mmCIF file of all heavy atoms in Angstrom:
data_model
loop_
_atom_site.group_PDB
_atom_site.id
_atom_site.type_symbol
_atom_site.label_atom_id
_atom_site.label_comp_id
_atom_site.label_asym_id
_atom_site.label_seq_id
_atom_site.Cartn_x
_atom_site.Cartn_y
_atom_site.Cartn_z
ATOM 1 N N ASN A 170 3.907 49.769 14.246
ATOM 2 C CA ASN A 170 3.757 51.073 14.891
ATOM 3 C C ASN A 170 5.148 51.634 15.146
ATOM 4 O O ASN A 170 5.870 51.146 16.012
ATOM 5 C CB ASN A 170 2.981 50.945 16.204
ATOM 6 C CG ASN A 170 2.786 52.285 16.876
ATOM 7 O OD1 ASN A 170 2.730 53.318 16.226
ATOM 8 N ND2 ASN A 170 2.691 52.274 18.194
ATOM 9 N N THR A 171 5.504 52.617 14.404
ATOM 10 C CA THR A 171 6.779 53.290 14.626
ATOM 11 C C THR A 171 6.657 54.115 15.900
ATOM 12 O O THR A 171 5.694 54.862 16.063
ATOM 13 C CB THR A 171 7.114 54.212 13.444
ATOM 14 O OG1 THR A 171 7.085 53.442 12.248
ATOM 15 C CG2 THR A 171 8.477 54.847 13.621
ATOM 16 N N PRO A 172 7.609 53.993 16.825
ATOM 17 C CA PRO A 172 7.501 54.773 18.064
ATOM 18 C C PRO A 172 7.643 56.275 17.791
ATOM 19 O O PRO A 172 8.297 56.689 16.834
ATOM 20 C CB PRO A 172 8.649 54.266 18.934
ATOM 21 C CG PRO A 172 9.560 53.523 18.031
ATOM 22 C CD PRO A 172 8.785 53.139 16.808
ATOM 23 N N PRO A 173 7.031 57.084 18.645
ATOM 24 C CA PRO A 173 7.152 58.537 18.475
ATOM 25 C C PRO A 173 8.569 59.002 18.797
ATOM 26 O O PRO A 173 9.360 58.275 19.390
ATOM 27 C CB PRO A 173 6.139 59.090 19.477
ATOM 28 C CG PRO A 173 6.040 58.036 20.525
ATOM 29 C CD PRO A 173 6.249 56.731 19.829
ATOM 30 N N GLU A 174 8.852 60.234 18.409
ATOM 31 C CA GLU A 174 10.151 60.841 18.712
ATOM 32 C C GLU A 174 9.939 62.058 19.587
ATOM 33 O O GLU A 174 8.949 62.787 19.437
ATOM 34 C CB GLU A 174 10.872 61.232 17.425
ATOM 35 C CG GLU A 174 11.249 60.028 16.584
ATOM 36 C CD GLU A 174 11.993 60.402 15.323
ATOM 37 O OE1 GLU A 174 11.991 61.583 14.933
ATOM 38 O OE2 GLU A 174 12.578 59.488 14.712
ATOM 39 N N SER A 199 6.909 64.067 17.652
ATOM 40 C CA SER A 199 6.458 63.716 16.298
ATOM 41 C C SER A 199 6.287 62.209 16.216
ATOM 42 O O SER A 199 6.858 61.454 17.006
ATOM 43 C CB SER A 199 7.452 64.208 15.241
ATOM 44 O OG SER A 199 8.692 63.559 15.395
ATOM 45 N N ASP A 200 5.477 61.793 15.241
ATOM 46 C CA ASP A 200 5.208 60.373 15.035
ATOM 47 C C ASP A 200 4.672 60.208 13.615
ATOM 48 O O ASP A 200 3.698 60.865 13.256
ATOM 49 C CB ASP A 200 4.176 59.882 16.051
ATOM 50 C CG ASP A 200 3.991 58.378 16.051
ATOM 51 O OD1 ASP A 200 4.242 57.731 15.014
ATOM 52 O OD2 ASP A 200 3.589 57.838 17.090
ATOM 53 N N PRO A 201 5.282 59.349 12.804
ATOM 54 C CA PRO A 201 4.791 59.183 11.428
ATOM 55 C C PRO A 201 3.423 58.499 11.354
ATOM 56 O O PRO A 201 2.736 58.605 10.353
ATOM 57 C CB PRO A 201 5.875 58.337 10.754
ATOM 58 C CG PRO A 201 6.590 57.660 11.861
ATOM 59 C CD PRO A 201 6.481 58.562 13.048
ATOM 60 N N ASN A 202 3.007 57.825 12.432
ATOM 61 C CA ASN A 202 1.739 57.086 12.422
ATOM 62 C C ASN A 202 0.573 57.850 13.030
ATOM 63 O O ASN A 202 -0.574 57.450 12.833
ATOM 64 C CB ASN A 202 1.867 55.778 13.207
ATOM 65 C CG ASN A 202 2.958 54.887 12.697
ATOM 66 O OD1 ASN A 202 3.457 55.080 11.612
ATOM 67 N ND2 ASN A 202 3.328 53.911 13.487
ATOM 68 N N ASP A 250 2.585 57.447 22.286
ATOM 69 C CA ASP A 250 1.535 57.488 21.261
ATOM 70 C C ASP A 250 0.302 56.719 21.757
ATOM 71 O O ASP A 250 0.343 56.085 22.824
ATOM 72 C CB ASP A 250 2.061 57.002 19.910
ATOM 73 C CG ASP A 250 2.299 55.507 19.817
ATOM 74 O OD1 ASP A 250 1.899 54.745 20.726
ATOM 75 O OD2 ASP A 250 2.892 55.079 18.813
ATOM 76 N N ALA A 254 3.445 53.189 22.533
ATOM 77 C CA ALA A 254 4.854 53.178 22.123
ATOM 78 C C ALA A 254 5.479 54.475 22.630
ATOM 79 O O ALA A 254 4.805 55.504 22.725
ATOM 80 C CB ALA A 254 4.972 53.079 20.605
ATOM 81 N N THR A 255 6.746 54.430 22.979
ATOM 82 C CA THR A 255 7.391 55.609 23.565
ATOM 83 C C THR A 255 8.676 55.976 22.831
ATOM 84 O O THR A 255 9.338 55.131 22.236
ATOM 85 C CB THR A 255 7.742 55.365 25.052
ATOM 86 O OG1 THR A 255 8.645 54.261 25.145
ATOM 87 C CG2 THR A 255 6.497 55.099 25.879
ATOM 88 N N GLY A 256 8.994 57.251 22.929
ATOM 89 C CA GLY A 256 10.260 57.787 22.454
ATOM 90 C C GLY A 256 10.739 58.781 23.507
ATOM 91 O O GLY A 256 9.928 59.423 24.171
#
Side-chain angles (χ1 to χ4, degrees):
N170 181 29
T171 305
E174 294 181 345
S199 64
D200 189 334
N202 303 345
D250 73 10
T255 61

